[in-house]
Amino acid sequence: MNTSKDYDVIIIGGGATGAGTARDCAMRGLSVLLVERHDLATGATGRNHGLLHSGARYAVTDHESASECIQENMILRRIASHCVEENDGLFITLPDDDIAFQSLFIDSCQKAGINAQAIDPDYARLIEPSVNPELIGAVKVPDGSVDPFRLALSNVLDAKIHNADLLTHHEVTGIIRKGDRVTGVELYDHQTRAKVSYHGKIVVNAAGIWGQHLAGLAGVTVNMFPAKGSLLIFGHRVNTMILNRCRKPANADILVPGDTICLIGTTSERIPYDEIDNMYVSTEDVDVLIREGMKLAPSLATTRVLRAYAGVRPLVAADDDPNGRNISRGIVLLDHQERDGLSGFITITGGKLMTYRLMAEWATDLVCRKLAVEKQCETADNPLPGSEKNDFSVKSATRKIYSGSRVVQMSAQDRHGTLASNIASSDMMDDAMVCECEGVSIGEVNYAIKELHVANLIDLRRRTRVGMGTCQGELCACRAAGLLGEALEETVQAKDDLANFLQERWKGMYPIAWGETLIESQFTSWIYEGIYGLKPENN
Amino acid sequence: MKFDTVIIGGGLSGLTCGIRLMEQGRKCAIVSSGQSAIHFFSGSFDLLSRVNGQEVTNPLESIHSLPSEHPYQRVGQANIARLAEEAPQLLDRAGMVFAGTAKRNHFVLTPMGTMKPTWLTLDDFTSFAKNDKLPLSRATIVNLQGFLDFHTLFIKDGLTRYGVEVQVRNVAMAQFEAIRRNPSEMRSSNIAKVFDQGDALDQFAEKVNKLGKESDVIILPAVFGLFNTTVPAALKARINKPVVLLPAVPPSTPGIRCQIQLRQRFQELGGTHFLGDMVREGKFKGNRLRYVNTNNHGDIQLEADHFILASGSFYSKGIKAGPYGLFEPIFGLDVDGENEREKWFDKQVFNNQPYMHYGVRTDARFRPMINGQPVENLYAAGSVLAGSNPLKEGSGAGICLLTSLHVAEQILQDQDDEERYI
Ligand SMILES: Cc1cc2nc3c(=O)[nH]c(=O)nc-3n(C[C@H](O)[C@H](O)[C@H](O)COP(=O)(O)OP(=O)(O)OC[C@H]3O[C@@H](n4cnc5c(N)ncnc54)[C@H](O)[C@@H]3O)c2cc1C
Ligand SMILES: Cc1cc2nc3c(=O)[nH]c(=O)nc-3n(C[C@H](O)[C@H](O)[C@H](O)COP(=O)(O)OP(=O)(O)OC[C@H]3O[C@@H](n4cnc5c(N)ncnc54)[C@H](O)[C@@H]3O)c2cc1C
């Protein structure tokens, strides 16, 4: 890439918002650079529920968010079908809850355009056998599940198709200003440890909760309100529909199924801004999540917990209220020229994963106004790469291209949609299985390394789910590390990478280290440290 | 059914106890529910490799620096020295030849291409006297095409740091096409089965001989000799360069072979082996365990004068961790370990993990306790014991072999005492 190139727009943050903004800007013909300090979807985007909200959750308290959600919900089903599971959701009333809330809830949903229908508790038990049998009321809504990793990735892939440039593992360490104009960014490359600068007419701050820091680098003030939420992933899929409590939003009241797992969340805790990178899940958080989760689906009590993790919601404190009493859950678009007299700098934050596309549209509209570009937004109409409709169905298309085994084939198709056809399967080597739990082949790993911006094992896991299954990455990690090391021709780093991967994985396991999880941990330590002789000091 | 001794667990510890007692003419039964740690065996038994993070040269001399609750301290240094001589002899009588001495650790090459100190090494593998230099300058690493559990890249990286010139080669063979067709079948034990019979080994050796002409050694994955114990020697005879085998798990081919040999030895001595059965509970009379019930035996009780608990650590479910505490699942024995689960772990995965130290609490004679009272005729041996972190110390198999031999001696002594008073 050419550092002297002057981009139309530089976007900071490889979450859904930044990825979506890159796509939108690129589709409108702008020259785009997207920069991300770690990997795609390592911020809130990769650390949430993956709930494709119908908006029902906000219907009573926040009409505007609710109607944004249902509109975007319908759009994402169309444009991101390979990232979405159309599972539907139930809002259940338990004996502890006030059944009177139900009619207010349904009314509010209908006002926001959400199709919410009360159903008989007996019928609810029939269509969702995992539900707490003591429920006294149920409302069906068009909730769904969304895979945020795939979503962010396919937005980036589309941006690249439209000529955008992407730099992952590049951290913005400074915002370059010329007087009252922002003209570029200073970057630190975590892989080569080099500093580089890039210039652009407009810089978009889409750094989520870190947006406060980036605004600071530009010399303006944005007050974020960090609210940490913890979640648990369970080892198999207990429910087929999303389960919510029909009451005011509270702790651990959403159980979302996705792929082969389900997850419960969240807790909500205000944390100081300087702790936003310390995503520790406490024993108490785990206990609350399980206790509350059991009220939605009692079988969670006996289901293995696979991982615990936490994220920080990028909520924004209103400008006149730095204490954060008056926080907004809606989308926040700041034109710093108007607000602070600093031109060439825009912040887009707040909102939700659900509304990333709309946020991107707002931000891009503003960029286009500033650059006098007239082209209209098309992101709601054009499907994302992987979700295109073909003349013949996705399934038969991939089956044609694949000679590979069925498990591998089906899993790859789930993960990459129509893009699965890019995965090599020409010989037996390509089909050999790297990760048995998740059905990841050598062909898929090599495709990810070549095409999907993978710099290390942890990135690879986000692209392919290698090491995400019930064994939590025991031996597939080592296999994948070998392939990655060969492909990147970096033998020395490969061991570091493996050690880092095991540490990262442990972070999600120690809060729930009992039963099978403790057994797996002990086994993994014996294999890697005892048999293989892997030590952090080798590296 | 009545035995002199019933042993719960058929891993390295249970089998060692069983063989020792049978060799002394006691009638034993082993009940074993499943896979044991030896299925993943590296090829070396560790005695003591590190104390307080420092590498140990002479394990016997370093035992006194261990904490007093450590199983070695409780067996006693003199006993350890004596039993450490006996252990390889017992293994030898079962048909396994190990090199090494407890007075001085030797070194083996790991699959990361690094050197690791250890006590006894199976003769499939290569022992080195020193860890700062390798007695070779050019090595050829040969893998089987499509085999993903042999990480040539890591070996090469490690060896390169020792100044060794390394080339990596793949060998494709028609014999493996069939297993490669199913993408998850190309695993070490399936490969070993192919080499166990027919002419695959000859063809393989021929190909390797062509590839490794320029090298001092050939490095291969340890996928030789699963059921056929002659294969490793045959391989070395056919390859015209010294061969260094490195562990390729899961599972461990030499590990499975050792387990089979130990079991055969036990059975040839007349021992009864209930494989795939699980001890569910025991019946006590006062402080004595009278009999145990198992899954497959229904109402038939297994009675014995003595019982040995060799049921392993968390990994084998010898002890269990629930969200609200630790427990021993068969008898509810006292467990040494913290109650609150946030104390079980360290946030850095490569640090000393507290949970690794946990196990059943025993008295000075290795008898587990219930509410602080030892069970008179129950002993515990091997990785079910508390008091050490075998991974960090490098003491895994050593603790198993030596506490097992020690416990067998306790039982023999017990019985002698009892007989004297009859
Ligand atoms: C626990 C929890 C549950 C949630 N559940 C849901 C849900 O079910 N449905 C839903 O719709 N929404 C949900 N949300 C909200 C949703 O996750 C976020 O609103 C959304 O992901 C924000 O995306 P983003 O791209 O704006 O921010 P992020 O995803 O945080 O992206 C910001 C990116 O900027 C990068 N960055 C930071 N500093 C720098 C720098 N100096 N240089 C370069 N890059 C930098 C970060 O690494 C990060 O990748 C949840 C949030 C949380 C915390
Ligand atoms: C994966 C792994 C690899 C290792 N590799 C090495 C190595 O290379 N070198 C080394 O020195 N040390 C190694 N160790 C350390 C290891 O702990 C010992 O070497 C040793 O093999 C453990 O033997 P054990 O018999 O005490 O326990 P285990 O091997 O765990 O055997 C316990 C047995 O008891 C059975 N059991 C449990 N409960 C019941 C019940 N209720 N009824 C019936 N049976 C029951 C289990 O199924 C199991 O078969 C390794 C450990 C692990 C976990």
Side-chain angles (χ1 to χ4, degrees):
Chain A
M1 245 168 358
N2 179 351
T3 51
S4 59
K5 177 170 169 186
D6 207 353
Y7 288 95
D8 289 330
V9 51
I10 297 176
I11 298 155
I12 306 169
T17 309
T21 306
R23 176 189 191 225
D24 200 343
C25 286
M27 282 171 70
R28 297 204 214 184
L30 305 178
S31 65
V32 175
L33 172 65
L34 175 64
V35 295
E36 162 57 47
R37 62 172 182 167
H38 296 141
D39 183 26
L40 300 173
T42 45
T45 298
R47 304 179 152 274
N48 61 51
H49 256 126
L51 172 57
L52 187 80
H53 282 287
S54 59
R57 184 173 173 81
Y58 308 109
V60 173
T61 49
D62 182 349
H63 171 80
E64 193 184 334
S65 289
S67 38
E68 281 166 5
C69 278
I70 188 63
Q71 282 163 28
E72 290 300 311
N73 177 307
M74 293 303 153
I75 292 171
L76 290 180
R77 284 168 198 253
R78 260 197 334 267
I79 66 161
S81 59
H82 81 294
C83 310
V84 168
E85 281 181 37
E86 305 190 16
N87 295 320
D88 284 338
L90 286 181
F91 276 74
I92 62 165
T93 307
L94 292 177
D96 289 352
D97 304 331
D98 181 6
I99 187 76
F101 188 80
Q102 200 190 58
S103 49
L104 172 64
F105 173 77
I106 296 175
D107 266 6
S108 313
C109 281
Q110 267 148 11
K111 278 192 197 120
I114 303 160
N115 179 11
Q117 287 178 0
I119 60 173
D120 189 77
D122 282 334
Y123 185 62
R125 277 194 289 269
L126 211 61
I127 59 173
E128 182 48 65
S130 72
V131 74
N132 189 338
E134 284 168 23
L135 81 171
I136 53 169
V139 182
K140 191 167 159 230
V141 299
D143 279 350
S145 313
V146 55
D147 185 313
F149 300 103
R150 277 177 227 167
L151 187 65
L153 177 65
S154 57
N155 272 279
V156 167
L157 291 178
D158 208 20
K160 287 181 63 182
I161 290 170
H162 293 90
N163 302 317
D165 290 333
L166 166 68
L167 290 172
T168 55
H169 301 282
H170 278 68
E171 179 158 357
V172 174
T173 51
I175 305 271
I176 305 168
R177 278 179 65 157
K178 241 190 211 142
D180 286 342
R181 263 197 89 68
V182 166
T183 60
V185 292
E186 283 169 5
L187 299 176
Y188 176 73
D189 179 343
H190 282 282
Q191 286 173 295
T192 62
R193 308 207 159 97
K195 285 201 143 201
V196 278
S197 302
Y198 285 91
H199 292 274
K201 298 190 182 92
I202 310 243
V203 172
V204 177
N205 171 13
I209 192 70
W210 298 272
Q212 173 172 329
H213 172 67
L214 282 144
L217 290 179
V220 295
T221 309
V222 174
N223 278 316
M224 301 299 293
F225 179 88
K228 177 173 125 178
S230 303
L231 302 111
L232 300 180
I233 306 185
F234 289 87
H236 68 259
R237 184 170 174 150
V238 166
N239 49 331
T240 49
M241 299 170 82
I242 289 97
L243 292 175
N244 303 262
R245 289 285 281 278
C246 194
R247 60 175 190 195
K248 284 224 177 97
N251 271 346
D253 57 356
I254 314 181
L255 182 66
V256 184
D259 278 336
T260 54
I261 53 103
C262 61
L263 36 96
I264 183 81
T266 87
T267 56
S268 184
E269 180 194 350
R270 176 155 193 200
I271 56 166
Y273 191 79
D274 59 10
E275 283 178 24
I276 58 174
D277 283 304
N278 173 20
M279 286 299 92
Y280 175 69
V281 180
S282 70
T283 307
E284 296 80 64
D285 288 343
V286 172
D287 289 342
V288 167
L289 289 167
I290 295 180
R291 198 173 58 233
E292 292 298 313
M294 278 162 53
K295 295 182 187 161
L296 291 167
S299 63
L300 287 185
T302 51
T303 306
R304 173 173 170 198
V305 189
L306 264 193
R307 269 183 90 80
Y309 64 96
V312 183
R313 295 175 185 84
L315 305 179
V316 187
D319 272 347
D320 51 3
D321 174 30
N323 295 329
R325 249 169 241 113
N326 188 8
I327 45 165
S328 160
R329 287 185 180 261
I331 301 171
V332 175
L333 173 68
L334 302 175
D335 178 348
H336 293 284
Q337 182 170 14
E338 254 175 36
R339 182 175 173 263
D340 309 291
L342 179 67
S343 68
F345 194 58
I346 291 173
T347 293
I348 177 76
T349 188
K352 288 168 206 59
L353 178 65
M354 263 321 285
T355 55
Y356 88 92
R357 196 210 56 84
L358 187 61
M359 294 165 75
E361 181 176 339
W362 288 11
T364 307
D365 283 348
L366 182 57
V367 170
C368 285
R369 264 206 307 284
K370 289 183 182 293
L371 297 177
V373 172
E374 307 244 301
K375 196 156 189 294
Q376 294 296 304
C377 177
E378 292 177 350
T379 55
D381 306 318
N382 295 346
L384 286 160
S387 288
E388 308 92 342
K389 293 276 181 293
N390 282 335
D391 291 347
F392 41 101
S393 79
V394 173
K395 284 202 168 88
S396 67
T398 37
R399 205 169 300 138
K400 250 191 206 153
I401 292 147
Y402 267 106
S403 63
S405 89
R406 222 181 129 65
V407 195
V408 170
Q409 195 181 109
M410 298 306 288
S411 339
Q413 195 175 292
D414 279 351
R415 282 189 287 271
H416 304 285
T418 50
L419 296 175
S421 59
N422 297 335
I423 296 172
S425 181
S426 53
D427 67 10
M428 265 190 270
M429 197 63 205
D430 292 326
D431 283 343
M433 196 90 94
V434 177
C435 175
E436 276 151 62
C437 309
E438 297 285 335
V440 184
S441 69
I442 291 195
E444 185 175 349
V445 167
N446 283 334
Y447 163 65
I449 294 170
K450 272 198 223 100
E451 305 285 340
L452 305 181
H453 282 267
V454 169
N456 58 45
L457 265 186
I458 305 174
D459 297 1
L460 184 67
R461 185 180 67 174
R462 277 184 213 104
R463 300 297 184 278
T464 64
R465 294 186 64 83
V466 85
M468 288 262 219
T470 43
C471 80
Q472 285 290 295
E474 255 145 39
L475 299 149
C476 51
C478 208
R479 294 178 197 139
L483 293 172
L484 193 61
E486 258 159 51
L488 305 178
E489 289 171 11
E490 286 183 10
T491 36
V492 184
Q493 252 194 21
K495 284 184 197 169
D496 261 338
D497 199 17
L498 190 54
N500 289 340
F501 177 91
L502 293 175
Q503 174 58 37
E504 177 65 20
R505 190 175 147 272
W506 180 234
K507 236 168 72 187
M509 289 173 83
Y510 66 67
I512 47 143
W514 70 80
E516 289 293 324
T517 303
L518 193 68
I519 291 175
E520 298 291 356
S521 310
Q522 190 177 43
F523 179 71
T524 308
S525 291
W526 270 107
I527 296 287
Y528 279 101
E529 227 182 311
I531 312 279
Y532 289 168
L534 182 71
K535 291 183 215 152
E537 67 262 32
N538 283 347
N539 310 303
Chain B
M1 263 186 270
K2 173 89 176 54
F3 299 90
D4 293 334
T5 305
V6 166
I7 300 162
I8 305 162
L12 181 62
S13 308
L15 285 163
T16 304
C17 291
I19 291 171
R20 190 81 195 97
L21 289 168
M22 291 298 303
E23 284 179 339
Q24 297 296 313
R26 307 299 150 116
K27 193 178 158 217
C28 297
I30 293 177
V31 186
S32 190
S33 55
Q35 238 183 23
S36 69
I38 204 164
H39 278 236
F40 301 94
F41 179 37
S42 62
S44 293
F45 289 150
D46 302 334
L47 181 59
L48 189 59
S49 308
R50 277 172 303 276
V51 176
N52 303 324
Q54 296 294 309
E55 213 159 87
V56 161
T57 314
N58 181 333
L60 291 182
E61 279 175 4
S62 308
I63 284 170
H64 71 270
S65 342
L66 293 169
S68 61
E69 73 276 10
H70 193 284
Y72 287 156
Q73 290 280 34
R74 299 168 61 217
V75 172
Q77 194 166 0
N79 284 333
I80 292 285
R82 184 173 50 81
L83 297 173
E85 299 282 323
E86 278 182 29
Q89 294 164 10
L90 178 141
L91 296 167
D92 193 76
R93 293 193 293 274
M96 286 159 281
V97 180
F98 281 84
T101 153
K103 297 196 189 83
R104 190 176 182 86
N105 278 328
H106 64 268
F107 298 89
V108 286
L109 197 57
T110 69
M112 288 286 142
T114 55
M115 296 293 257
K116 176 186 121 165
T118 189
W119 169 37
L120 295 175
T121 295
L122 187 66
D123 66 351
D124 292 34
F125 295 92
T126 309
S127 313
F128 298 92
K130 292 200 170 107
N131 68 343
D132 50 354
K133 220 170 88 220
L134 280 171
L136 53 128
S137 57
R138 303 173 104 179
T140 301
I141 306 175
V142 182
N143 193 16
L144 289 147
Q145 183 140 38
F147 181 45
L148 295 181
D149 293 325
F150 190 53
H151 309 287
T152 52
L153 185 81
F154 294 138
I155 306 165
K156 180 177 171 180
D157 171 54
L159 289 179
T160 308
R161 291 177 199 214
Y162 283 102
V164 180
E165 205 179 292
V166 183
Q167 59 167 3
V168 178
R169 294 288 179 268
N170 270 309
V171 164
M173 292 193 20
Q175 284 88 338
F176 295 106
E177 295 301 289
I179 41 178
R180 279 187 64 198
R181 207 150 288 143
N182 181 339
S184 58
E185 289 290 289
M186 196 65 181
R187 299 290 179 245
S188 58
S189 48
N190 288 339
I191 297 172
K193 275 183 208 154
V194 173
F195 284 127
D196 265 0
Q197 44 199 306
D199 59 356
L201 192 70
D202 294 327
Q203 283 181 29
F204 177 73
E206 208 172 291
K207 287 180 195 250
V208 171
N209 283 334
K210 282 193 195 126
L211 292 173
K213 286 207 179 90
E214 316 277 290
S215 298
D216 318 327
V217 299
I218 306 291
I219 297 176
L220 299 173
V223 292
F224 301 95
L226 187 67
F227 305 120
N228 183 347
T229 53
T230 63
V231 175
L235 171 81
K236 289 180 185 174
R238 279 171 183 65
I239 290 182
N240 52 29
K241 292 280 163 69
V243 171
V244 174
L245 294 182
L246 294 184
V249 293
S252 159
T253 302
I256 294 177
R257 188 201 321 140
C258 288
Q259 166 123 22
I260 294 172
Q261 284 179 296
L262 287 166
R263 196 162 69 217
Q264 276 171 352
R265 169 74 178 157
F266 174 69
Q267 285 168 326
E268 278 160 21
L269 288 163
T272 308
H273 200 281
F274 299 115
L275 190 63
D277 197 1
M278 193 175 128
V279 174
R280 240 186 5 237
E281 63 198 355
K283 176 86 181 165
F284 290 86
K285 190 172 180 195
N287 279 341
R288 283 187 77 83
L289 179 58
R290 286 187 46 221
Y291 58 83
V292 293
N293 287 315
T294 77
N295 278 351
N296 295 353
H297 281 86
D299 293 341
I300 305 170
Q301 298 144 359
L302 303 188
E303 281 177 65
D305 298 331
H306 294 94
F307 294 83
I308 299 175
L309 185 72
S311 50
S313 182
F314 295 104
Y315 162 73
S316 287
K317 305 196 170 80
I319 51 168
K320 287 191 176 181
Y324 309 111
L326 303 163
F327 58 101
E328 186 284 314
I330 308 173
F331 307 110
L333 302 170
D334 296 352
V335 171
D336 252 340
E338 297 287 345
N339 266 324
E340 301 92 63
R341 65 174 198 262
E342 63 259 37
K343 296 190 180 145
W344 296 349
F345 57 82
D346 185 293
K347 289 181 189 173
Q348 294 300 315
V349 70
F350 287 101
N351 283 357
N352 180 3
Q353 295 293 338
Y355 75 82
M356 284 279 190
H357 296 255
Y358 300 164
V360 298
R361 178 181 302 162
T362 56
D363 72 356
R365 303 188 60 205
F366 287 86
R367 293 180 305 184
M369 309 189 227
I370 298 177
N371 299 327
Q373 282 297 312
V375 180
E376 264 172 46
N377 60 337
L378 175 65
Y379 292 82
S383 53
V384 72
L385 292 167
S388 67
N389 181 340
L391 177 64
K392 286 292 169 201
E393 293 167 5
S395 62
I399 291 178
C400 294
L401 285 166
L402 303 178
T403 57
S404 295
L405 291 174
H406 180 67
V407 156
E409 277 185 352
Q410 304 286 302
I411 288 177
L412 292 168
Q413 217 171 35
D414 243 17
Q415 252 166 349
D416 290 347
D417 291 348
E418 279 164 22
E419 275 156 22
R420 221 173 297 147
Y421 289 112
I422 285 172

